[in-house]
Amino acid sequence: MVRSKAPAKKQQKKGIDFKKIKRKLGRKLPPPNNATNTEIKSKAIILPEQSVAAEKSGVATSKKGLTLKELLQQTSHHNAKVRKDALYGIKDLFKNHPEELQSHKYAIIQKLRERISDDDKLVRDAFYQLFKIDIFPACKEDNQGPMVSLLMPYIFSAMANSVIDVRLMAFKFFHLVVENYSPTFSLDAEKILENYKDIIQKNHFYVQDKSKLKVALSGLAHCLSLLPCDESDTESQKKGPLQNETLLAYEQDAAKDCVSFAHVCGRLKEIVGVLINCFQDFIPLIHAPRGFDADSFDCIHHLLRSIGYAIKFSICRHMQRQTAWQPASEEVTLMILDQDIASILLKKLLGSFPLNPENNLYGKGDERYFRLNSVLTEIFLEVSEWSHLPTDLSNRFLEFIENTLLGKITRSIRLSKDIHEKTLLALFPFVPKLILRVDRDWRDNLLQAFTIAFSDCKPESELKLACISTVRDMIIPNGDILYPNASDRTVNNYQVAWVNKLPSLLNQLGDKHPVSTQVVLQLLLDLGRVGCLNTSPTCEDDIRNFFSLCQGEGDVPGGPFASLPREAQELALCFLYYFTTDKFSSPMMKAIVSCCLYPQLEPAVLYRIVEILDAAYRAGYIQITDHFSFLITLIARFKVVPEKLQSPIECNERETYCGTFKEVTKLVCSCLSEMGDSSLVLQIVEKVLLEQIILKPALDNGCAILRMICVLDSTPTRLSERSVTTLSEFLPGYMIDIVNCIPEDKENSYLYIQTCLYYLVPCYFLFNRSSKLTEQVLIRMRSMISENTKALESVQDRESGRNSLNIIQCIISVILLMHNDVKVRKIISSFKSEIDLILQNVITLQSSRSTSLTVEGKHMMKIAGERLRIASKSLLAE
């Protein structure tokens, strides 16, 4: 046997104090086990107040999220692009939040004004556009004075900048400021003109770039156009005494303007000299065969405009200083300007006329030459009034004026209508004085040319208004223009021709152009006041059509007069007063009556027409028969309720028409009572009034006619027997209509009685003045009751019976109304027998067995009969 091996003994493990760790080369050693961990961990705490975006919530921002404060800060950034973007951001902010501008406009201007002198062109352009498009339009309604005062120091600083482009932007921006706030120029006029003179003198820096020179010249022309040179004294005389209070209030402002510009005359002399020298530089370009470009034209145009404004202001200033003892024939132009400048003005400026390549009036060219020649002509007209110019030079200008009035030059170069009209508007004011200075041949030619231009104008155009103003100056004498001698038939013929066009012009304008119509009416009124209203017979037709468009025998609608504003209507009526001096015929009276009867005519205008015609009659301009005819026709044909309103009409509307007619009746009666001896007037109109009575007019018209008779009649009556008979036949039916047309108001019996009384009073006056008339009226009433009683007994038709019963009841009501008046009761007490007979007929009717009389009708007759019986007994007591 093999002996088994004994098991191997396990090797006992030895304890290891430190374990050795093998490290690889290049690996970072781990931290020791006893190292302290200094890492701190935390969680974010979200607080809304700490969010940058939340800080701007509710605050206006631009598209890029910048506030106004941030944008304003960026306008001063060193980077030009940032400054430009900030200006665009401000523009965007104002577009979406306009209230930001109104709230911070002064702070905005204080910050932005620094950009006027910015050295970057794009920034300056953005600055200019921001003010032009956003800031100035938004502040248009505000007081811009404080804003401008903040800007002006920086503008003046930029005008003196060494960089020419910065200077030009300063002038361009100043022009924008003046356009939006014109007083800017008057505040520093002398300093501003000095800056303009300086930059124009240095035009050689940009002689090749006319667009830069145009910037300065356009601003200068605009500033000089603001110089006060209107003839305020002449205008104040035209306005009349009623506006003196307004004129006196304006005098302080006018005085301030004069003081503001008192020291600019010296600067203007220098400016004119510089401008003329600058103009000389353009002469070769003007006469060049190829002409000039648009920028050069603009420069020349602004040059000539500036010279014209300066000369006009200087002449005006000299006239204000000129005392009464100084002779009017002095060479004022030479006194205003230095002699050297005046010589240059006459020789180099006016002597170059006409401006075109061919150097003649009919040279081919576009409208630009015509416009330049027009401005030169205006300068000539200003200067020629005070200086004797060479005959040849004057003839060239006069020929141009004549051809412009006739439209010859405009047709040859196909000039636009707008430019031609603007030229005529500038020339027309000079025509009156020019005609007085030229010789006879030129005067006749200019008068004919003006007359043709006057006829060719459209009625509603601004040109026609200018023609009317010129006509006024050539007919109505004033301080500057002497009225032509009456022996000069040529001038008088033209004047008559102009005046004869005015009435037809009124109808052409109609009521669609009230402003122009008012101007024409004012001229006609002024012509009438000075006795120059020498119209032809055909003018009366035009005047008639203006007040009433006659269209045959039918209804006559109102003319343009009825639809004009109240102020224009007043002018027309005042003119009508002077027109009546020798032209107020019967057809004219008919037209005026038709106008008064026009339903849409305002009541105040109607009253005014009656007053004007009465004043014309008192002045002897209207025949007495024509005046009577007008008054009676107006009363007889007036419709208290127009036909278009006779369908269900409201009570208050009817009362309005009734009130108008009552006032008209009052005015007519007042006119009749003041015409002279009432008995003579009654003899003249009695027959006509009674003829209207026979026609049985409407209730209101009948009442008015009766009132006219009462005004002229007296106690005892002056009416003839025939008139009394006619009235006795009319009055019963008239009084029945009163009761029948005015419904009885049981709740307000006083108002009912007063209304009836207005219509019954004329009858009461007539009864008081004629007992015979009273008796005949009562007899006629008794007869009417008897006739209707028999009709009720014989007729079987209930409708006819109802009408007869109504007439009887109305007659009883009339008698009772007469009985209620104390004075009338005494009058009718003398005729108690007639009233008793009326009562007997009523009693007879009550016992009638007529089938047409209903139970209700019998009951009503019983009540009426009882009331009449009581009244009859009281008459017995009287």
Side-chain angles (χ1 to χ4, degrees), residues 604-658:
V605 179
L606 174 59
Y607 308 151
R608 184 63 174 150
I609 292 176
V610 176
E611 293 174 357
I612 289 290
L613 293 186
D614 188 59
Y617 161 75
R618 293 174 184 277
Y621 301 151
I622 300 179
Q623 297 292 331
I624 188 171
T625 53
D626 290 334
H627 195 41
F628 283 147
S629 176
F630 165 75
L631 297 176
I632 295 174
T633 306
L634 175 61
I635 291 297
R637 293 180 55 190
F638 191 94
K639 295 180 180 179
V640 175
V641 182
E643 293 179 355
K644 294 182 180 180
L645 299 175
Q646 283 182 349
S647 58
I649 182 173
E650 297 181 1
C651 295
N652 57 352
E653 198 167 356
R654 177 181 174 82
E655 290 176 1
T656 300
Y657 284 100
C658 290

Side-chain angles (χ1 to χ4, degrees), residues 264-440:
V264 302
C265 290
R267 294 295 180 196
L268 286 179
K269 293 179 182 180
E270 300 172 2
I271 286 283
V272 170
V274 171
L275 292 175
I276 293 175
N277 291 332
C278 188
F279 174 77
Q280 290 297 306
D281 296 337
F282 285 95
I283 292 296
L285 187 61
I286 292 173
H287 295 296
R290 294 183 180 180
F292 42 74
D293 56 12
D295 287 336
S296 298
F297 163 75
D298 290 336
C299 289
I300 300 171
H301 189 260
H302 293 316
L303 272 170
L304 296 178
R305 280 292 180 197
S306 299
I307 294 173
Y309 292 138
I311 292 175
K312 185 176 181 180
F313 172 74
S314 299
I315 292 175
C316 180
R317 286 286 299 172
H318 178 80
M319 291 304 299
Q320 292 175 356
R321 296 174 183 175
Q322 190 178 24
T323 56
W325 55 266
Q326 287 180 315
S329 61
E330 292 185 41
E331 293 287 341
V332 179
T333 305
L334 297 178
M335 296 175 62
I336 296 169
L337 305 173
D338 295 335
Q339 292 197 6
D340 294 338
I341 297 179
S343 177
I344 295 174
L345 176 67
L346 298 179
K347 294 180 181 179
K348 294 185 178 182
L349 185 64
L350 299 180
S352 61
F353 181 85
L355 301 178
N356 52 52
E358 290 80 10
N359 199 24
N360 62 75
L361 289 174
Y362 299 97
K364 295 181 179 179
D366 57 20
E367 63 184 26
R368 292 181 294 185
Y369 288 105
F370 176 80
R371 293 174 63 184
L372 295 179
N373 288 327
S374 300
V375 180
L376 270 178
T377 304
E378 293 180 43
I379 297 175
F380 158 77
L381 291 171
E382 290 285 357
V383 175
S384 62
E385 184 177 352
W386 305 105
S387 179
H388 299 291
L389 301 178
T391 304
D392 177 64
L393 179 62
S394 297
N395 288 340
R396 277 185 281 163
F397 278 103
L398 293 174
E399 185 180 357
F400 178 82
I401 294 171
E402 179 187 5
N403 291 333
T404 302
L405 292 174
L406 295 174
K408 291 182 178 180
I409 300 178
T410 58
R411 288 191 293 268
S412 65
I413 64 174
R414 297 180 181 179
L415 187 67
S416 66
K417 186 177 180 181
D418 291 340
I419 294 178
H420 183 219
E421 288 188 356
K422 288 180 180 178
T423 304
L424 291 178
L425 287 173
L427 293 180
F428 280 156
F430 295 99
V431 171
K433 294 182 180 180
L434 182 62
I435 288 175
L436 297 179
R437 296 199 305 268
V438 298
D439 57 33
R440 190 180 190 87

Side-chain angles (χ1 to χ4, degrees), residues 523-543:
L523 176 56
L524 287 170
L525 175 59
D526 294 340
L527 291 172
R529 285 172 174 169
V530 298
C532 301
L533 200 60
N534 299 320
T535 56
S536 64
T538 58
C539 290
E540 184 178 342
D541 296 335
D542 294 321
I543 297 298

